């Protein structure tokens, strides 16, 4: 079978895989009893129980919130949860507090998570004025902090701006650091001919799926 034929056969697989990846982070809990311990199936870094939400819903003093749950609270206020609507101002206050109080190696994870929320705020104009330049400044800081996801986000941002050569470089760097999901993004740039491509380049990406 020729290489062109293999590529043609691979395109449906690529599109299917890209669609499946886009849904991979959706939680599939099914029907569980009300008293189920969700900590068994939820990542600890995103879990804020209903009891905590209710207990601290009206707490204005950030220092009185459980320190180990500050990032989760910031995500909760930023995203809402279907019952509680998003509160971008509150989320921003928490994010700034976390950033100001997380400057050690022990708190690096917390700092990076807060920076990613602030990046998203600037990118989407939620809680802060939309500003791609500010978003990039935060990604630069995350890169210095050793975050491989920063390169993934840089690739997405460059692609949205039509800077496809920079998007390609960022995706390649992200992939080299273990962000394998960005193989799909890089393959899409080749498939859409947004960057100089060839049968060999596209085919080599297909083999990585």
């Amino acid at each position: 079978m020729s290489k062109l034929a293999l590529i043609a056969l691979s395109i449906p697989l690529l599109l299917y895989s890209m669609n499946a990846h886009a849904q991979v982070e959706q939680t599939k809990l099914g029907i569980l009893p009300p008293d189920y311990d969700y900590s068994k199936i939820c990542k600890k870094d995103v879990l804020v129980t209903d009891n905590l939400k209710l207990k601290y819903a009206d707490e204005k003093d950030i220092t009185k919130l459980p320190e180990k749950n500050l990032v989760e609270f910031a995500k909760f206020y930023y995203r809402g949860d279907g019952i509680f609507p998003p509160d971008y101002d509150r989320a921003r206050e928490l994010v700034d507090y976390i950033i100001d109080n997380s400057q050690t190696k022990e708190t690096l994870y917390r700092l990076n998570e807060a920076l990613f929320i602030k990046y998203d705020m600037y990118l989407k104009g939620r809680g802060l004025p939309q500003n791609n330049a500010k978003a990039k400044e935060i990604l630069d800081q995350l890169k210095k902090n050793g975050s491989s996801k920063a390169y993934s986000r840089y690739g997405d941002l460059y692609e949205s701006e039509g800077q496809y050569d920079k998007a390609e470089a960022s995706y390649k760097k992200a992939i080299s650091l273990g962000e394998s999901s960005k193989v799909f993004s890089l393959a899409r740039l080749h498939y859409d001919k947004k960057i100089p491509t060839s049968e060999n380049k596209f085919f080599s990406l297909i083999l990585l799926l």
Side-chain angles (χ1 to χ4, degrees):
M1 184 180 295
S2 70
K3 187 176 291 185
L4 279 174
L6 284 172
I7 291 174
L9 289 173
S10 300
I11 288 174
L13 173 62
L14 170 63
L15 297 176
Y16 173 81
S17 299
M18 291 172 69
N19 181 63
H21 174 72
Q23 301 178 38
V24 73
E25 293 186 357
Q26 293 183 0
T27 306
K28 299 177 181 178
L29 298 181
I31 300 175
L32 297 171
D35 58 348
Y36 187 84
D37 181 3
Y38 285 88
S39 65
K40 294 178 181 178
I41 53 175
C42 296
K43 294 181 179 179
K44 292 182 180 180
D45 63 330
V46 299
L47 179 65
V48 177
T49 67
D50 288 337
N51 287 339
L52 281 177
K53 292 175 189 176
L54 294 172
K55 182 176 180 179
Y56 294 101
D58 298 320
E59 181 55 67
K60 302 300 182 184
D61 186 351
I62 293 176
T63 62
K64 293 183 179 179
L65 295 175
E67 185 176 358
K68 66 179 181 179
N69 296 111
L70 287 177
V71 168
E72 300 97 293
F73 271 104
K75 291 179 180 180
F76 159 62
Y77 282 114
Y78 184 57
R79 299 169 180 167
D81 69 350
I83 298 175
F84 294 90
D87 185 339
Y88 299 133
D89 291 336
R90 182 62 168 162
R92 187 182 64 250
E93 289 177 7
L94 273 166
V95 163
D96 288 339
Y97 178 85
I98 293 168
I99 292 172
D100 291 341
N101 293 275
S102 303
Q103 300 296 327
T104 66
K105 285 186 178 181
E106 290 74 19
T107 56
L108 182 61
Y109 171 79
R110 183 191 302 169
L111 171 62
N112 284 354
E113 288 295 293
L115 286 171
F116 271 118
I117 297 173
K118 195 163 188 176
Y119 156 78
D120 206 63
M121 288 179 165
Y122 277 124
L123 184 69
K124 298 176 180 176
R126 296 175 178 173
L128 288 167
Q130 201 286 328
N131 190 321
N132 279 11
K134 290 286 188 183
K136 290 175 182 176
E137 288 178 8
I138 292 176
L139 289 182
D140 287 337
Q141 185 174 347
L142 282 160
K143 285 163 63 176
K144 290 179 182 177
N145 291 351
S147 172
S148 59
K149 288 196 298 183
Y151 293 95
S152 296
R153 300 295 189 276
Y154 242 128
D156 295 337
L157 187 49
Y158 281 136
E159 185 177 355
S160 72
E161 294 176 338
Q163 300 189 63
Y164 301 118
D165 55 337
K166 292 184 177 180
E168 178 189 19
S170 295
Y171 287 147
K172 285 182 175 178
K173 181 65 175 179
I175 292 167
S176 73
L177 294 173
E179 297 291 318
S180 58
S181 65
K182 288 305 164 183
V183 171
F184 299 105
S185 301
L186 188 55
R188 186 178 62 246
L189 291 181
H190 282 278
Y191 180 70
D192 293 337
K193 297 183 179 179
K194 300 297 186 182
I195 54 177
T197 189
S198 68
E199 293 177 17
N200 288 335
K201 288 181 180 178
F202 184 77
F203 189 66
S204 64
L205 289 169
I206 291 293
L207 293 178
L208 293 175
L209 296 177

